[in-house]
Amino acid sequence: MARALIHMPATAKRGEVIEIRALIGHPMETGYRVGADGRLLARDIIRSFVCRYNGEQVFGAELHQAISAHPYIAFFTQATESGTLEFKWDGDNGFTHTETMTLTVSAT
């Protein structure tokens, strides 16, 4: 089971641009390294990351072998209404991890 850390404000003003930072603990094994037994280690990477704000995708990324272990992604979005942000990572070997955060938006 992976561990994800997400940093974002809990509150924002309507129309404010907020920064969201997401990190997930994952080895991101490229499939090119040799193990102690001299055999190639099987590839095990996160292939995609998606953030949805009240069900609408606001950010997405495809990840490849060149991405380091424990991928860190930072992006900005505009606070439009109170709701839920869903963060989802999908990868090799059926890996999937989802986190949700709540954002409260005020009119002023």
Side-chain angles (χ1 to χ4, degrees):
M1 175 152 219
R3 180 169 182 236
L5 299 172
I6 299 168
H7 291 278
M8 59 174 268
T11 61
K13 297 176 184 172
R14 185 177 313 279
E16 181 179 351
V17 176
I18 61 170
E19 181 180 22
I20 299 171
R21 295 175 284 163
L23 180 145
I24 188 164
H26 192 279
M28 296 294 282
E29 185 57 57
T30 64
Y32 299 125
R33 288 188 327 124
V34 178
D37 61 357
R39 304 172 98 187
L40 284 177
L41 298 172
R43 188 178 94 164
D44 183 16
I45 65 170
I46 294 175
R47 300 176 62 88
S48 68
F49 169 78
V50 172
C51 175
R52 289 187 173 82
Y53 183 5
N54 286 337
E56 180 181 344
Q57 182 174 330
V58 293
F59 183 84
E62 291 183 14
L63 306 179
H64 301 277
Q65 287 101 333
I67 305 295
S68 68
H70 317 301
Y72 170 79
I73 297 172
F75 58 97
F76 295 89
T77 192
Q78 187 172 27
T80 56
E81 60 184 326
S82 296
T84 302
L85 284 91
E86 179 187 88
F87 305 86
K88 185 175 182 188
W89 294 262
D90 289 313
D92 290 341
N93 307 315
F95 175 84
T96 185
H97 187 84
T98 304
E99 295 279 338
T100 57
M101 300 286 285
T102 301
L103 178 66
T104 302
V105 176
S106 62
T108 58

